[in-house]
Amino acid sequence: MKIAPSILTADFTDLKNEIKSISNADLIHIDIMDGNFVPNISFGPAINKQIAKISNIDLDVHLMVTNPLMWIDEFSLENVKYITVHYESQNFLESIKRIKENKKLVGITIKPKTKVSSILDVLKLADLVLVMSVEPGFGGQKFMPEMLDKVRELKRLREENNYNYQIEIDGGINNETIKLAKEAGVDISVVGSYLFNQTDRNKVIDNLK
Ligand code: DX5
Ligand code: ZN
């Protein structure tokens, strides 16, 4: 299992050390919230640039914004690997196109109430499909186990159609729920509060892996 820590629950007054503490992570998950698409505001491209400067781990940018097309260029930094956009956001298809033009890997995500059947047509364009296992907006929420059906469906669709996206899950992952995620077929787990609320982060990441 690959681990992508979400720095949403990190101590932003000590971000350099917080990022150092997750040196064995596979990716760093960057949650961008605009206070409109979701009822919370996180941080913007300026902070993302600073994070990119101090880390050599690839970044996994999750755009929870009303119009991702406005922001994709600003987030297309050298060590950004994936840019993920919501099916429920504006200019969804144009955003996918822009991510590809910027030579970044395309992530597609759906909120808990959105079905996998809504994104069938675009799965062929995806390098990553992110299944939200909480309502987007906040760290520290409870895992929704029924979202694992989406993981199983995405795994089946990948096999049937020879797609090659990674399946990622985001929200409420801890040492117990990660086992269920693994069983269902998740490749990458985003982990926020469970990880940042503990002190020996490298050890927690190793155990989760
Ligand atoms: C929720 C974010 C998640 C969140 C994960 O809107 O997309 O990445 O920070 O945090 P935990 O692991 O605490 O649920
Ligand atoms: Zn996220």
Side-chain angles (χ1 to χ4, degrees), residues 6 8 29-33 60-64 86 130 132 136 168 170-171 190:
S6 157
L8 202 59
H29 186 81
I30 305 284
D31 285 308
I32 304 298
M33 304 178 182
D60 170 32
V61 175
H62 176 193
L63 294 177
M64 286 164 276
H86 271 268
L130 170 61
M132 290 305 304
E168 184 176 46
D170 185 5
V190 175

